[in-house]
Amino acid sequence: MNKNNDEEGRCWLRACSLIVGSDAGNGLDLGELRITFKTQKGDVETPNSAEINVYNLSEATASKIQREFTQVALSAGYQSNMGLIFRGNIRQVRTWRENGVDTVLSILAADGDRAYNFATVNTTLAAGSLPADRVRTCQGALSEKGAGAGYTPELGGQPLPRGKVMYGMARQYMRDEARDTDTDWSIQDGKVQMVPRRGYLPGEAVLLTHETGLVGTPEQTQEGITVRALLNPLLRIGGRIKLDNKSVKKMQSPLKMAAGKTAPRLDDDGIYRILKVEFTGDTRGNDWYADMLCIGIDDTSRLPLDML
């Protein structure tokens, strides 16, 4: 095979790595086995989740995972573009037989749930503290429970004229600072990130056409723009995609719409921010998709929390 054909093949050959390990760092890569997965990720503060099924493990390996391992890292994509799509804590492990033949080990995992549920702050900041100071305090507490510091923009704000007592759950203080700085905070793959509501993560928008991974027809709905694409680890919460607006099926206006509710508008430049992404895959089957809910960069309408 010549070089050009070899490079073209790597663009379409699937790649997957599933590493399960302990808090101490030792672990196993199960990527050579059949794996199916579904991850659910959103730009809300509650932890993301994943259900991962591994087929036909040996009894010894399955037992070791159940007894010793606490962490999971799932990477997927294609040989030319594979990257992390989920990292989290193992919450439950189950085993059963499928079709009377295959054994299945199912892992339920949550991203940053220890930090979200148990990180607390107990300190006093001197007069003159800024939002960034209070966020750093929270990030320190969250990091101690396994969620490190990710992207945070310039938060601005005015210095407080008095000292600030911080005592309680870190998530509540992050919620307050996000509200006051017009940002959204969440934990993504073990990192605490904040993204401006009128902004996005640094980096180029992922161009989605039928030649670059777009599947089917994007559709305008009351919740946002729904998009299906081939699995791409560059599709991140708070990141951007670029669509040709001519390819978007516009929503039919209902005869009755709730007061104050309007359809999310199409961005003039076809640039949309990712609010939600679900990765589904089967290393021996057809599923290898990213299903997204997006919104125009300048559109500040929000998805209700119970929709995520």
Side-chain angles (χ1 to χ4, degrees):
M1 180 180 292
N2 64 40
K3 180 179 179 180
N4 289 337
N5 288 338
D6 187 48
E7 290 179 352
E8 183 178 352
R10 288 197 297 270
C11 291
W12 299 105
L13 290 175
R14 297 179 183 181
C16 182
S17 169
L18 174 64
I19 297 175
V20 292
S22 66
D23 290 344
N26 57 308
L28 299 171
D29 189 345
L30 307 176
E32 295 300 318
L33 298 171
R34 182 191 175 191
I35 297 168
T36 66
F37 56 84
K38 181 176 182 179
T39 72
Q40 296 182 314
K41 310 176 84 171
D43 74 336
V44 293
E45 63 181 63
T46 48
N48 297 324
S49 64
E51 183 173 355
I52 305 166
N53 299 317
V54 186
Y55 285 74
N56 298 319
L57 282 167
S58 69
E59 290 187 10
T61 301
S63 177
K64 187 179 182 68
I65 291 172
Q66 290 178 299
R67 289 184 291 104
E68 300 180 21
F69 292 156
T70 57
Q71 307 289 324
V72 62
L74 176 65
S75 298
Y78 295 86
Q79 287 191 4
S80 63
N81 178 27
M82 185 177 81
L84 185 70
I85 62 171
F86 184 86
R87 185 192 301 276
N89 305 313
I90 296 175
R91 303 298 298 154
Q92 184 183 25
V93 178
R94 299 174 294 140
T95 58
W96 74 87
R97 282 194 176 273
E98 184 176 272
N99 302 323
V101 178
D102 295 320
T103 60
V104 182
L105 181 137
S106 181
I107 299 171
L108 180 65
D111 180 7
D113 62 319
R114 294 177 186 171
Y116 183 79
N117 289 320
F118 301 114
T120 59
V121 292
N122 182 10
T123 190
T124 300
L125 300 182
S129 69
L130 293 166
D133 300 316
R134 299 186 288 277
V135 166
R136 275 194 294 271
T137 298
C138 294
Q139 286 177 330
L142 292 162
S143 180
E144 290 178 359
K145 298 298 183 180
Y151 174 74
T152 301
E154 292 292 333
L155 297 176
Q158 297 297 318
L160 293 180
R162 300 180 182 85
K164 172 74 173 180
V165 176
M166 299 179 69
Y167 179 78
M169 300 300 296
R171 66 176 185 240
Q172 180 60 58
Y173 285 103
M174 287 295 295
R175 189 178 304 153
D176 294 342
E177 296 304 322
R179 180 196 61 228
D180 293 343
T181 57
D182 200 25
T183 58
D184 293 308
W185 87 276
S186 61
I187 301 174
Q188 304 295 333
D189 300 321
K191 300 291 185 182
V192 180
Q193 72 176 33
M194 301 183 77
V195 181
R197 285 196 167 196
R198 293 177 175 82
Y200 43 84
L201 290 178
E204 294 184 3
V206 177
L207 174 65
L208 289 180
T209 68
H210 289 103
E211 289 72 36
T212 61
L214 182 66
V215 177
T217 302
E219 186 172 354
Q220 180 189 37
T221 71
Q222 288 192 9
E223 286 75 37
I225 311 301
T226 59
V227 184
R228 166 168 277 199
L230 296 178
L231 195 154
N232 185 338
L234 297 178
L235 299 170
R236 301 175 296 161
I237 297 299
R240 298 175 295 162
I241 63 171
K242 180 174 176 57
L243 299 173
D244 180 353
N245 282 339
K246 294 179 181 178
S247 70
V248 179
K249 180 181 178 182
K250 294 185 179 179
M251 185 182 76
Q252 178 177 325
S253 299
L255 296 178
K256 293 183 179 180
M257 183 175 286
K261 183 71 174 179
T262 60
R265 67 179 184 81
L266 300 183
D267 185 86
D268 293 339
D269 297 319
I271 304 293
Y272 298 92
R273 170 181 164 179
I274 301 172
L275 297 180
K276 177 181 178 181
V277 60
E278 293 183 355
F279 292 115
T280 56
D282 183 341
T283 58
R284 303 290 190 271
N286 294 324
D287 287 346
W288 208 251
Y289 299 118
D291 289 288
M292 292 164 281
L293 183 67
C294 307
I295 200 168
I297 294 300
D298 295 326
D299 193 338
T300 57
S301 62
R302 306 301 300 144
L303 185 68
L305 293 182
D306 60 2
M307 293 293 292
L308 289 171

